[in-house]
Amino acid sequence: MSNDLRKVGVLMNVLSRITRREFIKLAGLIAAGLSFLSGCVTLRRPDKKLLSDDEANLLEAIAEQIIPTDEWPGGRDAGVVNFIEKQLSGPYRRFQEDYRKGLAAITRTCLEKYQRKFEDLSWDQQTIILKQMESGSLADGPWKNGFSQRFFELLRSHSLQGYYGSPRHGGNKNYISYKMIGLDEFQVIGQNRYGS
């Protein structure tokens, strides 16, 4: 008898000795355990990545600048990048080109000004770049025609949506913002936006 058949035999023997009520309790415990474990899964980006790893790292640093960690987790821990990437693959598809162009322009601007990528800059240097984008003082090269202001507003708007919106859309991991403002967690049955 193979090892697998022996294991099945032992399992069948055990199951034949428990009552129906005990079986239901056991099944409930197993389901609860699996549910608990699925909640412990760490955030990960979708298998079909729209953004490159470099773009995602840059976007994560920007989200953390827009919603910094203090006594509450910030944009990074709330899964803002996961939200944006999911939305860019769906309802925000029209912004894909803006993100590609804008993220490349931020990298180029940082390399020209500081010889380092945005995510490698100090907090204050990152703040300066974002303030220049917001004010429109970056107006040459890829930033012509007010693109820096439009792209900054897009980043800010999408980051806030990812942080404060429903977790079913890919952000607000573990209901971070709901807990922060004192809202009850809404139960979304059948939704697991963070993968396993």
Side-chain angles (χ1 to χ4, degrees), residues 40-77:
C40 295
V41 173
T42 58
L43 172 68
R44 71 179 185 116
R45 291 174 55 216
D47 292 331
K48 292 182 178 180
K49 296 178 187 175
L50 178 70
L51 302 172
S52 71
D53 289 341
D54 286 342
E55 290 170 328
N57 291 337
L58 169 56
L59 194 52
E60 191 171 76
I62 293 168
E64 189 65 22
Q65 265 282 336
I66 293 171
I67 307 165
T69 298
D70 49 23
E71 63 270 13
W72 291 94
R76 176 179 289 119
D77 293 326

Side-chain angles (χ1 to χ4, degrees), residues 42-45 51-69 73-85 99 103 106-107 118-120 123 126 130 151 155 159 163 170 173 194:
T42 58
L43 172 68
R44 71 179 185 116
R45 291 174 55 216
L51 302 172
S52 71
D53 289 341
D54 286 342
E55 290 170 328
N57 291 337
L58 169 56
L59 194 52
E60 191 171 76
I62 293 168
E64 189 65 22
Q65 265 282 336
I66 293 171
I67 307 165
T69 298
R76 176 179 289 119
D77 293 326
V80 167
V81 172
N82 188 57
F83 166 82
I84 291 173
E85 189 160 28
Y99 269 86
L103 294 174
I106 291 171
T107 298
F118 182 89
E119 52 271 37
D120 296 329
W123 181 265
Q126 290 178 348
L130 293 178
F151 187 57
L155 289 168
S159 293
Y163 192 80
K173 184 172 187 229
Y194 294 100

Side-chain angles (χ1 to χ4, degrees), residues 20-33:
R20 186 172 145 195
R21 186 174 301 248
E22 290 171 330
F23 177 78
I24 291 171
K25 285 181 185 177
L26 180 62
L29 285 172
I30 291 171

Side-chain angles (χ1 to χ4, degrees), residues 73-97:
R76 176 179 289 119
D77 293 326
V80 167
V81 172
N82 188 57
F83 166 82
I84 291 173
E85 189 160 28
K86 282 181 175 289
Q87 299 310 308
L88 287 175
S89 297
Y92 293 168
R93 184 170 283 129
R94 66 190 180 278
F95 298 120
Q96 284 181 8
E97 190 55 39

